[in-house]
Amino acid sequence: MAESTTQRKPLAGWDKPDLDLSRAEWRSSSRGMGDVQIAFVEGFIAMRNSDRPESPSLIFTPVEWGAFVSGAREGEFDLT
């Protein structure tokens, strides 16, 4: 049987801590649109799919988050 994605070991070169997200205060967009939530935990930003909260979260440093948000605002990820 395949190993659960929530129990996999970090990838080589992964330099982010194993954050405890069990008490994270997840936030949705102010418009309530989309299925992404974020939480600020221990100086990092976690992002998850609100439709599947048990699935792994993406973890960003503040610099990575800033770059992601800037790219999104500039349409870098617009797939239409």
Side-chain angles (χ1 to χ4, degrees), residues 9-60:
K9 295 188 184 223
L11 299 172
W14 181 258
D15 60 349
K16 295 174 186 135
D18 185 19
L19 299 175
D20 179 7
L21 301 176
S22 63
R23 295 185 184 152
E25 292 183 28
W26 294 97
R27 302 175 187 186
S28 297
S29 75
S30 60
R31 297 179 187 164
M33 299 172 63
D35 52 0
V36 173
Q37 295 177 314
I38 62 168
F40 299 92
V41 180
E42 299 177 30
F44 292 87
I45 297 88
M47 184 168 59
R48 73 178 184 181
N49 180 339
S50 63
D51 290 338
R52 298 184 62 200
E54 73 284 353
S55 63
S57 298
L58 297 175
I59 307 299
F60 296 89

